[in-house]
Amino acid sequence: MENNIYIRKSSRSSISLRIDNSGNLYVYCPLKFSDAQIQEIINEKKQWIDKHIQNIINKRKIYQSYYNYSKIMYLGKSYDIIVSDKKLQIGESTINIRTNVNLIKTLKNWLIKRSNFIFDRLDYWAKIIGVKYLSKNHTNARKKWGSCDSKQNIKMNFRLIMLDIKLIDYVCIHELCHIIHLNHSKRFWKKVEDFLPDYKTLRKELKKYSFVLELF
């Protein structure tokens, strides 16, 4: 894995390091920092940097077939992606394609077309919980599965359609409970638990699929 270092200087008062999903290192520091000072900090944090990069390498090895789009997940099940004779086969689903088609874009559109199922689950749980939202939309976020703002607008990541329905339900319930408690207080988690007693297990399981947010 080829790793690059990017320096971002600004009027900030402290320094911070971030490693993205490709293993690139971003250094955010004050304008007054010299190259020698930045390099010294990088050297001091070498063990931390190497550990995080190795974690990225290990994750990409485990999920390589998803990263190279030879497999795709849909509702928690894994399917081989087969391209042949101007056709794209995903399980029992067949998509007619052109020569030199953009595979990633085609797969992304295939998922988005099916992601209204997420809203079906959102509506189902909204009735059970007894709440109403102002709007619902898909999102292409890289960090979050869903969100609910103070005006009760809910956004759901289209990539959720790749996960098992129990995890989709967890995210739906989580965001709907934010209509009642717009925070992560004890009262919020108690409300989630009222409708999903095993939410802690599901929350932990959801973290295993963080790599899905890096796809497409």
Side-chain angles (χ1 to χ4, degrees), residues 140-166:
N140 192 33
R142 292 293 185 178
K143 298 292 184 181
K144 294 182 178 181
W145 292 109
S147 65
C148 176
D149 64 22
S150 59
K151 295 182 179 179
Q152 301 174 0
N153 298 301
I154 291 181
K155 293 182 180 180
M156 305 294 279
N157 198 308
F158 81 90
R159 297 175 185 85
L160 271 171
I161 198 62
M162 299 175 71
L163 308 185
D164 189 279
I165 187 173
K166 63 184 180 182

Side-chain angles (χ1 to χ4, degrees), residues 28-81:
Y28 301 91
C29 63
L31 293 168
K32 64 181 180 181
F33 270 55
S34 66
D35 291 345
Q37 287 176 301
I38 293 171
Q39 188 58 54
E40 182 180 354
I41 291 172
I42 291 174
N43 293 338
E44 289 176 356
K45 295 293 185 178
K46 187 178 186 305
Q47 186 175 356
W48 177 86
I49 293 170
D50 289 346
K51 179 182 177 181
H52 278 70
I53 290 177
Q54 189 58 52
N55 287 340
I56 292 171
I57 292 172
N58 293 341
K59 181 171 64 173
R60 285 189 170 267
K61 284 182 179 179
I62 294 172
Y63 301 113
Q64 184 60 40
S65 58
Y66 297 105
Y67 281 111
N68 65 22
Y69 301 101
S70 60
K71 286 182 178 291
I72 192 171
M73 286 174 57
Y74 176 63
L75 290 179
K77 295 183 180 179
S78 180
Y79 297 92
D80 291 328
I81 298 171

